[in-house]
């Protein structure tokens, strides 16, 4: 039962371009939406996170856009670099419960 | 900084064999988690421990057992391994379950193949 639906499954972007990954959810009780980044052979690591009372959060080249009415949130990577090539997971949680993760997006940034 | 350490890193088992995956964290975190990662499925929660002495089922607990040995260690046991349990297993820890801005710190995974 996939409570957080993530798309696309894979993404190829040219160096300097914008990478956009989307997630949608159904549970309106979700109150925290993080994005995790995973490099091959490593565990995921927190990249950036947002709460539903904020529509956008920016940290360097990474931005989360949040649309509460549409129940969607997205990760934008500006000026994408080959070093950004990784798998990205969106996630969500409600209350004092563990995170529910999306299915992941494999991003390749071509030089 | 060791963070979250998982052992072993790789393991091949035969169907029906048992084994225990070990996990230890040195960040004094209260909560620990076990996930499995399969292609196209993301990370699915198997079990978690909100604090020492407590464990709870996650999304896919069938076929697994866990033990929170102490605050540092959280083990995952497969009593009778099945090919469907072939996966990459990740252990994670955090200061508290569900706390805002308390990231989960992950180990580098155990790659388990069951023949």
């Amino acid at each position: 039962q996939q409570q957080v639906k993530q798309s696309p499954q894979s993404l190829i972007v040219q160096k300097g371009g914008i990478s956009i990954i989307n997630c949608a959810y159904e549970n309106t009780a979700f109150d925290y939406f993080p994005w995790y980044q995973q490099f091959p052979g490593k565990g995921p690591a927190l990249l950036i996170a947002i709460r539903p009372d904020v529509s956008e959060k920016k940290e360097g080249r990474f931005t989360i856009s949040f649309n509460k009415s549409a129940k969607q949130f997205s990760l934008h990577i500006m000026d994408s670099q080959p070093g950004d090539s990784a798998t990205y997971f969106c996630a969500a949680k409600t209350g004092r419960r563990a995170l529910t993760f999306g299915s992941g997006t494999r991003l390749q940034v071509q030089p | 900084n060791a963070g979250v350490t998982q052992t072993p890193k790789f393991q091949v088992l035969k169907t029906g064999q048992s084994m225990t995956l070990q996990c230890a964290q040195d960040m004094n975190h209260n909560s620990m988690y076990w996930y499995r990662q399969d292609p196209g499925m993301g990370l699915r929660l198997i079990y978690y421990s909100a604090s020492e002495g407590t464990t709870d089922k996650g999304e896919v607990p069938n076929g697994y057992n866990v033990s929170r040995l102490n605050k540092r260690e959280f083990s995952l046991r497969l009593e009778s391994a099945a090919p469907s349990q072939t996966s990459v297993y990740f252990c994670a820890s955090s200061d508290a379950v569900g706390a805002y801005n308390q990231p989960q710190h992950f180990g580098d995974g155990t790659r388990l193949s069951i023949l």
Side-chain angles (χ1 to χ4, degrees), chain B residues 22-76:
Chain B
Q22 306 287 351
C23 175
Q25 53 94 6
D26 62 4
M27 295 171 282
N28 201 35
H29 284 160
N30 293 304
S31 303
M32 299 185 73
Y33 315 80
W34 276 105
Y35 292 88
R36 59 177 290 172
Q37 183 176 15
D38 302 291
M41 302 291 289
L43 291 153
R44 291 183 293 168
L45 184 65
I46 304 171
Y47 272 94
Y48 68 99
S49 170
S51 60
E52 186 178 354
T54 69
T55 61
D56 287 285
K57 294 179 180 179
E59 181 184 355
V60 289
N62 291 345
Y64 305 95
N65 286 300
V66 291
S67 295
R68 184 75 182 265
L69 304 172
N70 48 55
K71 191 172 185 178
R72 291 187 62 249
E73 298 172 290
F74 189 38
S75 63
L76 178 72

Side-chain angles (χ1 to χ4, degrees), chain A residues 6-11 21-22 86-89 103-107:
Chain A
Q6 184 171 346
S7 63
Q9 189 172 5
S10 63
L11 181 63
I21 305 170
N22 301 299
T87 299
Y88 292 82
F89 294 96
S103 56
T105 296
R106 184 176 178 183
L107 171 65

Side-chain angles (χ1 to χ4, degrees), chain A residues 1-2 9 31-32 36 38 41-46 49-51 57 87 89 93 95-99 101-104, chain B residues 33 35 37-45 48 59 90 96-109 111:
Chain A
Q1 183 177 350
Q2 192 80 32
Q9 189 172 5
D31 58 9
Y32 175 58
Y36 279 75
Q38 182 184 30
K42 297 294 185 181
L46 178 66
I50 198 167
R51 296 180 75 167
K57 183 174 181 180
T87 299
F89 294 96
K93 69 102 180 151
R96 305 295 281 187
R97 298 178 68 85
L99 290 171
F101 285 85
S103 56
Chain B
Y33 315 80
Y35 292 88
Q37 183 176 15
D38 302 291
M41 302 291 289
L43 291 153
R44 291 183 293 168
L45 184 65
Y48 68 99
E59 181 184 355
F90 286 97
V97 177
Y100 174 67
N101 216 26
Q102 292 292 331
Q104 292 185 8
H105 297 262
F106 286 81
D108 286 340
R111 285 146 186 82

Side-chain angles (χ1 to χ4, degrees), chain A residues 24-100:
Chain A
Y25 63 95
E26 290 297 325
N27 188 349
T28 55
F30 283 147
D31 58 9
Y32 175 58
F33 302 88
W35 285 88
Y36 279 75
Q37 179 187 55
Q38 182 184 30
F39 293 106
K42 297 294 185 181
L46 178 66
L47 182 63
I48 187 172
I50 198 167
R51 296 180 75 167
D53 54 348
V54 177
S55 61
E56 185 176 282
K57 183 174 181 180
K58 183 176 181 179
E59 290 185 359
R61 296 185 293 108
F62 300 90
T63 300
I64 299 178
S65 297
F66 186 82
N67 186 329
K68 190 173 182 178
S69 61
K71 293 184 285 186
Q72 295 175 348
F73 59 110
S74 59
L75 175 69
H76 296 238
I77 305 174
M78 310 300 287
D79 186 26
S80 298
Q81 299 297 313
D84 297 330
S85 296
T87 299
Y88 292 82
F89 294 96
C90 62
K93 69 102 180 151
T94 175
R96 305 295 281 187
R97 298 178 68 85
L99 290 171
T100 296

